[in-house]
Amino acid sequence: MEHALSPATLAELRRPRPYPAVSVLTPTHRRDPLNTQDRVRLRNAVAEAKRQLESDPAVSRERRADVVQELDRALAEVDLAHAEDGLVIFAAPGEHQVWSLGRAVPERVVLSDTFLTRNLVSAQAAERPFWVLSVSADRVTLWSGGADRVTAERAGGFPLTRSRPNFDAERQERIGDQPSTFRDEGTRQFLREADTAMSSVLRDEPRPVYVTGEEAALSLLDEVGSVAKGAVHIRHGGLAHATPEAVWQAVRPVHEAELRRAADDVARELTSARGRRTYAAGLDEVWQSAREGRVRLLAVEENYKVTVRDVGDHLEPAASDDLDGRSDIVDEIVEQCLETGAEVRFVPDGMLEDAEGIAGVLRY
């Protein structure tokens, strides 16, 4: 199952497909007892997709058989033992993908000439992905971080490794192995290569960066390159060879502190926007501003969800089972704002209570 949505991957998902491109969305659960019905719900959703394919006169028999086969292959790849909060299956002639999301999705089946991506985009924004670069003299490992984990990342040729030089025993005794290692020209070149590789990763997928390592490693990386200068330093050695869980435990308190600082920055920006009269609050006002491309900064509470009906120029509340209801309107607004170049920040629940869970700073 896929987790990380890069700009290149998103562009590929959004390209037009031969009809039908099928999107199957279903909520999932991480723990008992709620997750006991996930498999049944998922199978029912896939069955509904097959029913719609069968009843659609625009789908030929050959193409229907192709897409049904891709749906079955996708279903076989689903690992609900590692489920998060939502699952998305994409299937089209000759291809399929399965995405696990850390944000709930509505139960939905859509047949179109493109895949439905807004829920992926919103989940990615809510997860606030980041990079962790763990540095040592003989190995540099890249980790992809999210809301509650890090995983090893292979982009950019990582992990980078080299054979450590054998130092003279008397020299080791005199000045210590670690300082001499990080004064070695081979180590300097190795970390210079790591900096170049990381710069390439950031060009393709910009994210905040945490760099871990011993003090000498962090100082040398900062001296020979540019990545460390804009990163948050975590003075913790040994993580280049560690498990993902060990890296997460080392990074987690620093990351959580950064999120709190970022939330405080958002609060200050919203307060300032009120004074400048460039402030939008509430779903209806933010939705209209997003459609006009006026939102510069969108702030959304982490678990804010609402079902609405579109009544022309306004939204009004709707029941969750309303056939005309739009239960992922928040995800739609998030995607629209990102498409127009806005910054999107998810903030703790209750922080935007006076704005009913969603607010924006406007460009004009």
Side-chain angles (χ1 to χ4, degrees):
M1 296 192 294
E2 304 286 344
H3 294 272
L5 184 67
S6 69
T9 301
L10 179 60
E12 168 61 21
L13 288 174
R14 283 177 167 169
R15 70 171 174 80
R17 261 79 178 172
Y19 186 85
V22 180
S23 303
V24 179
L25 291 73
T26 182
T28 53
H29 303 86
R30 299 174 187 243
R31 298 177 182 85
D32 291 332
L34 295 176
N35 62 6
T36 56
Q37 295 299 312
D38 285 351
R39 186 161 298 279
V40 173
R41 185 181 293 109
L42 175 59
R43 289 189 179 278
N44 288 344
V46 171
E48 171 61 19
K50 293 178 180 179
R51 188 195 65 76
Q52 291 190 27
L53 288 168
E54 184 69 31
S55 62
D56 192 334
V59 183
S60 67
R61 171 190 271 181
E62 293 78 11
R63 186 155 288 177
R64 181 184 308 119
D66 187 349
V67 177
V68 165
Q69 185 177 52
E70 295 296 339
L71 283 169
D72 287 338
R73 288 172 175 167
L75 190 59
E77 291 177 10
V78 173
D79 180 9
L80 289 176
H82 297 91
E84 297 177 275
D85 302 307
L87 189 76
V88 178
I89 289 176
F90 294 134
E95 62 173 321
H96 68 271
Q97 292 191 35
V98 180
W99 287 83
S100 178
L101 308 182
R103 182 171 169 82
V105 300
E107 198 160 312
R108 177 177 295 175
V109 174
V110 178
L111 274 62
S112 183
D113 58 358
T114 58
F115 293 136
L116 183 67
T117 60
R118 63 171 169 256
N119 306 98
L120 271 70
V121 171
S122 182
Q124 180 83 347
E127 189 166 67
R128 292 163 287 211
F130 56 90
W131 297 117
V132 180
L133 192 69
S134 295
V135 181
S136 71
D138 62 342
R139 183 180 176 92
V140 179
T141 304
L142 179 63
W143 312 89
S144 177
D148 58 2
R149 66 179 180 274
V150 300
T151 56
E153 177 64 47
R154 300 287 177 178
F158 289 100
L160 304 180
T161 60
R162 69 186 277 258
S163 298
R164 292 188 62 170
N166 293 318
F167 293 103
D168 177 81
E170 291 184 4
R171 183 183 183 188
Q172 290 180 14
E173 184 177 343
R174 184 170 64 252
I175 64 172
D177 179 54
Q178 195 65 25
S180 61
T181 298
F182 288 102
R183 283 201 288 266
D184 176 68
E185 183 55 37
T187 305
R188 294 176 65 86
Q189 180 59 32
F190 177 59
L191 295 192
R192 193 176 291 119
E193 292 169 0
D195 180 85
T196 299
M198 189 64 214
S199 297
S200 178
V201 170
L202 288 172
R203 279 194 298 271
D204 293 337
E205 194 169 351
R207 298 183 187 180
V209 181
Y210 299 95
V211 180
T212 76
E214 298 184 16
E215 179 65 41
L218 297 178
S219 296
L220 181 56
L221 184 67
D222 188 54
E223 180 183 336
V224 301
S226 60
V227 168
K229 292 179 173 65
V232 176
H233 289 201
I234 300 175
R235 290 168 177 78
H236 191 305
L239 298 180
H241 298 267
T243 64
E245 179 61 21
V247 176
W248 171 240
Q249 292 304 324
V251 171
R252 181 177 181 175
V254 180
H255 180 57
E256 289 177 346
E258 286 293 305
L259 292 181
R260 289 192 295 270
R261 183 191 59 76
D264 290 342
D265 289 344
V266 170
R268 282 191 290 271
E269 286 215 47
L270 293 174
T271 299
S272 177
R274 286 176 187 265
R276 299 193 308 269
R277 299 183 184 275
T278 55
Y279 176 74
L283 189 69
D284 197 47
E285 187 176 348
V286 171
W287 176 67
Q288 293 186 52
S289 298
R291 290 197 303 169
E292 296 166 359
R294 297 174 59 204
V295 179
R296 178 178 66 78
L297 169 66
L298 177 70
V300 186
E301 290 187 357
E302 290 173 346
N303 293 297
Y304 176 59
K305 298 174 69 68
V306 63
T307 301
V308 299
R309 282 190 290 117
D310 183 349
V311 290
D313 292 334
H314 296 280
L315 301 175
E316 63 180 33
S320 59
D321 57 353
D322 190 325
L323 295 179
D324 294 324
R326 297 164 68 175
S327 58
D328 59 351
I329 187 65
V330 175
D331 289 359
E332 191 174 321
I333 291 171
V334 168
E335 183 181 51
Q336 179 66 43
C337 287
L338 289 170
E339 283 291 292
T340 54
E343 184 180 1
V344 174
R345 297 285 188 88
F346 283 80
V347 299
D349 293 341
M351 178 175 160
L352 304 175
E353 186 174 3
D354 60 343
E356 300 179 348
I358 188 167
V361 177
L362 306 182
R363 293 187 170 99
Y364 56 90

